[in-house]
Amino acid sequence: MTRSSTDSTDATGPPDTPSAASAELSGPAEAPATAGSPAPAAAFDALYAHCATALFHQTFLLTGNRGLARESVARAFALAWERWPEVAMDRDPVGWVRAAAYEYAVSPWHRLRRAHRRPDPPPDGPASRALLDALLALPPAHRRTLVLHDGLGLDLPDTAAETEATTPATANRLLNARAAIAERMPEPAEHDAPAGRSAPLGELLGTLALTPAPGTLPAPGRVRTDSEHRAGRWTRTTFWFAAALVGLTLFTLVTAPTRHETPQSPARRISGVPPRAGPWKPGPQDVLLEKKLRGELVQGTARLVPGTG
């Protein structure tokens, strides 16, 4: 999983001071401090308390659906617990979980789920409604780029790394996303440079993200338990599938014939076929003619003279 190599909360943007809404959207400014080397469960719970709520607000901007946003956060942390040694040793655990949550939130498979086909009712306020409609009309890659760059304040290289794209492609996505937003909301999408953060748009993104309340996010202990149960189910399913495959293979080896024998067709009478031809047998007239010719043998040319009787 590719994501930003630097902490999302320490990303340096333009010299403008971020607004309160943007700062809350990005989450706490520093990673949770832990004394010594805490137990994995305690470290996971600290990471969950540190950024779960901020991730909910961010994924709401990507989906427009509160239920899907909560599910994306829970799935991302469940995946992080399954791969906790990798996440714990990562330079940016928050970025790791954020990338997993974003990838789950923008997955096209959610369109097949009836509960997530439509976004939630639009928020109050014409500006928020217009911005949410414009965001959901963007392609997922453009939407994700805009949220990371203008919403969270990541610089262009970090945004490109987290979205698994080149820096020029990320800049083009950002420009196209801002242009699409500007068609509906000209003022917030104004910016000075393609690589610079649009402060008005970031302010509106932060305000829109904070519109829905996160509700009751699952407790970190529940997330860890669900992750372990899911991993156990997958392990058991894989084991039984492998056992069934081995059993079917052994049954095939035991019951399969060792050589192929062509089956004999059943005998039946065939009509309309001419009788088999054999050697020629002379008839009575042929026998008499042969005897006559043998008894009338002559010498010389007299044999060539035709008879008169």
Side-chain angles (χ1 to χ4, degrees), residues 17 23-24 88 90 93-94 136 140 146 160 168 182 197 205 216 223 241 257 266 288:
T17 302
E24 190 170 351
D90 196 271
V94 176
L136 297 181
L146 187 67
R197 181 170 183 254
L205 288 174
T216 305
V223 174
F241 178 78
L288 292 178

Side-chain angles (χ1 to χ4, degrees), residues 54 103 128 179 187:
E103 289 177 4
S128 297
E187 295 182 0

